[in-house]
Amino acid sequence: MPSIVIVGAQWGDEGKGKVVDLLAENARVVARFQGGNNAGHTIVRGEETFKFHLIPSGILYPGTTCVIGNGVVIDPSVLTAEIDGLRDRGVDVSNLRVSANAHLIMPYHLMLDRAHEAKLGKLEIGTTKRGIGPCYSDKAARLGIRVQDLLDEKILKQKIMAAMEPKRLMLRPFERDPALDLHAMTEQYMLHGNRLEQHIADTASLLHRALDDGELVIFEGAQAALLDIDHGTYPFVTSSNPVAGAACVGAGVGPRDITEVWGVAKAYATRVGAGPFPTELDDDLGEDLRQRGGEFGTTTGRPRRTGWLDLVSLRYAARINGMTALAITKLDVLGGRDTIRVCTSYRTDDGAELDTFPYHQTVLHHATPIYTDLPGWQEDITGCRAVEDLPANALAYLRFIEEHVGVPIALIGVGPARDQIVWLGERSPLLAA
Ligand code: GDP
Ligand code: IMO
Ligand code: MG
């Protein structure tokens, strides 16, 4: 059985949760490997909707072990609330395993995230304000608090003291906040430790066993290629690497353990937060896409910026991830239009045409999209379940994407529900008949 990494191919919210849920039924393990509760992954099961921020999207299958890997940053109050919420809905969470090496988001990380953004003013990144950036900063500075530290009060207190010391100045406006009191914080986090202890495990070894047994393992990416701290539109990015290569680092496996990489992209493009977005539609058409696609953030509720599909950035995402297949979601949202535009190259400031993603931020900021207009379709495709059901123009649009990206499309989404998919090629061998 192969192992497969599912990653976002645009700026996030492509429908990774739905794709992971689809493939997870036969998986022994589903593992998150980066990001934190900045993610919001939606799964629609009949009348029920689940939104996961930290817990992997395989949790609805009792036979699947869900791992929160070492590369994830965990806000323990969010994780415990998510566990409680699932239990209340009758979901068995006993198969959840949390890496002892994962870093913890602390109350001061939340405050610093807000303070940094306020300081940037008009230049703000538009973060989710979940403390992600400051937590990864502390990890790199070797001032992080890890899950295993929750099991020893003395060590925990010492580490919190050491971590807070260099932040005194920045934290001064919050000094009266009771959440910053050393003793209260230690006590609070020890309580979280008590709650989470049963889930703490050597998750890398658990993954090695599943891989060695030849079982299906899914690595669930959060965020997306263009939000990658190295390869994305820096500084308007998140503070981790959402690309497929990070699955190895963030879960503790080697590159040869990965056999497939699936990139998830919408049939158009969206972005939450600030930063360049060449195909953005700042007009009625963009508003129409937002309303029809329900483009409001899963985590923060913010309206998402919307635009046409950008094949320059999608080609780039395919390359840096080493994608073996694409999943194109929300094709249904594009129905009812005479024309669908798709960006195939950029025009730079000096008039040159660029068909590769520019490495220089200034070039990207000034890039204007060059579009190809394709004929749309009027039919409602939400009921389509086979390639033959799709309007010819919808299929032509998908073939155009495949040709320009150079990666085959495995499946498309025609609605939010689990069964609203069409397999484009052969039905994946990753799934049971
Ligand atoms: P993720 O962060 O990549 O998991 O994506 P989100 O859950 O944040 O956002 C995707 C949204 O699109 C969710 O509301 C999904 O229920 C919805 N969705 C996923 N696939 C489709 C699709 O094919 N069609 C439509 N209309 N909605 C979809
Ligand atoms: P999923 O996994 C969309 C964006 C934020 C902001 C930038 C940095 O649901 O696709 P951060 O809080 O990470 O420091 O914010 O990244 N962002 C996302 N946008 N989907 C996400 O996750 C995101 N996670 C972070 O809006 O622009
Ligand atoms: Mg999301």
Side-chain angles (χ1 to χ4, degrees):
M1 265 290 195
S3 68
I4 170 167
V5 189
I6 312 277
V7 287
Q10 296 164 314
W11 280 281
D13 304 325
E14 297 90 348
K16 298 174 290 291
K18 174 176 163 173
V19 175
V20 169
D21 173 54
L22 264 175
L23 300 179
E25 190 167 4
N26 301 298
R28 164 116 153 239
V29 187
V30 177
R32 279 275 309 266
F33 56 89
Q34 46 69 234
N37 61 305
N38 47 350
H41 297 178
T42 314
I43 296 176
V44 179
R45 286 281 184 94
E47 296 299 300
E48 281 206 276
T49 298
F50 297 86
K51 292 178 194 287
F52 298 125
H53 300 290
L54 275 167
I55 293 185
S57 301
I59 197 74
L60 301 180
Y61 301 102
T64 302
T65 299
C66 281
V67 162
I68 299 181
N70 56 276
V72 176
V73 289
I74 300 172
D75 184 329
S77 57
V78 173
L79 180 56
T80 48
E82 207 163 348
I83 291 172
D84 289 344
L86 283 171
R87 281 215 183 107
D88 289 348
R89 293 173 77 172
V91 177
D92 176 14
V93 288
S94 58
N95 276 341
L96 176 69
R97 297 287 176 274
V98 180
S99 168
N101 291 345
H103 282 248
L104 293 169
I105 294 178
M106 306 298 291
Y108 44 82
H109 292 140
L110 297 168
M111 294 168 191
L112 291 174
D113 200 351
R114 269 184 276 143
H116 289 317
E117 285 284 88
K119 212 166 184 183
L120 283 170
K122 277 212 297 221
L123 297 175
E124 68 163 14
I125 291 158
T127 74
T128 58
K129 299 196 172 69
R130 300 299 192 261
I132 306 295
C135 184
Y136 276 117
S137 301
D138 268 356
K139 175 178 177 177
R142 288 151 298 184
L143 287 172
I145 317 287
R146 296 192 294 173
V147 167
Q148 57 188 274
D149 300 328
L150 294 177
L151 305 177
D152 186 320
E153 185 167 356
K154 207 167 141 219
I155 289 179
L156 179 64
K157 200 177 260 175
Q158 273 171 2
K159 291 198 172 182
I160 295 177
M161 267 195 305
M164 283 179 62
E165 178 57 31
K167 303 178 179 62
R168 273 173 184 236
L169 202 63
M170 276 297 278
L171 288 173
R172 194 165 285 162
F174 305 96
E175 65 191 355
R176 287 183 199 287
D177 193 318
L180 273 195
D181 176 74
L182 176 65
H183 299 288
M185 199 188 311
T186 309
E187 205 167 296
Q188 179 68 41
Y189 273 66
M190 287 303 292
L191 280 175
H192 289 315
N194 275 338
R195 288 276 333 261
L196 294 176
E197 190 165 2
Q198 57 180 310
H199 299 287
I200 301 174
D202 178 356
T203 51
S205 296
L206 183 158
L207 280 160
H208 300 158
R209 280 195 297 277
L211 290 163
D212 292 345
D213 289 350
E215 302 244 25
L216 176 60
V217 174
I218 295 173
F219 298 92
E220 176 179 4
Q223 292 81 51
L226 297 166
L227 290 173
D228 185 283
I229 190 162
D230 285 275
H231 304 287
T233 52
Y234 192 92
F236 302 103
V237 292
T238 191
S239 297
S240 68
N241 291 109
V243 292
C248 297
V249 183
V253 303
R256 293 199 308 156
D257 289 314
I258 310 290
T259 45
E260 289 199 38
V261 178
W262 284 25
V264 187
K266 283 179 196 176
Y268 49 97
T270 64
R271 172 165 204 166
V272 204
F277 182 3
T279 62
E280 181 166 17
L281 289 166
D282 218 354
D283 54 12
D284 289 352
L285 238 161
E287 183 57 32
D288 186 52
L289 271 179
R290 179 157 40 249
Q291 294 303 333
R292 290 229 233 160
E295 298 297 353
F296 298 89
T298 309
T299 299
T300 56
R302 288 178 289 177
R304 295 177 184 143
R305 301 157 65 193
T306 53
W308 295 116
L309 184 63
D310 176 353
L311 294 182
V312 182
S313 63
L314 193 53
R315 266 196 299 273
Y316 172 68
R319 190 64 194 89
I320 60 175
N321 278 292
M323 274 180 210
T324 57
L326 271 167
I328 302 290
T329 60
K330 297 197 141 182
L331 189 66
D332 52 302
V333 176
L334 284 187
R337 289 170 206 285
D338 292 335
T339 305
I340 292 172
R341 309 199 94 181
V342 53
C343 166
T344 46
S345 56
Y346 298 149
R347 178 84 58 207
T348 65
D349 242 0
D350 54 9
E353 189 174 336
L354 203 62
D355 63 3
T356 53
F357 198 70
Y359 71 90
H360 203 296
Q361 192 78 15
T362 311
V363 179
L364 185 66
H365 270 290
H366 294 277
T368 48
I370 299 176
Y371 289 112
T372 299
D373 287 346
L374 297 174
W377 59 92
Q378 301 305 320
E379 297 91 328
D380 173 3
I381 62 165
T382 54
C384 295
R385 296 292 178 272
V387 183
E388 303 77 57
D389 302 338
L390 290 172
N393 287 346
L395 194 57
Y397 180 61
L398 296 168
R399 296 300 180 212
F400 188 90
I401 297 170
E402 280 184 326
E403 192 187 316
H404 280 77
V405 180
V407 174
I409 298 173
L411 86 159
I412 60 162
V414 293
R418 190 167 191 275
D419 67 336
Q420 286 183 301
I421 52 155
V422 175
W423 289 98
L424 217 59
E426 272 184 42
R427 200 179 148 80
S428 171
L430 299 170
L431 290 165

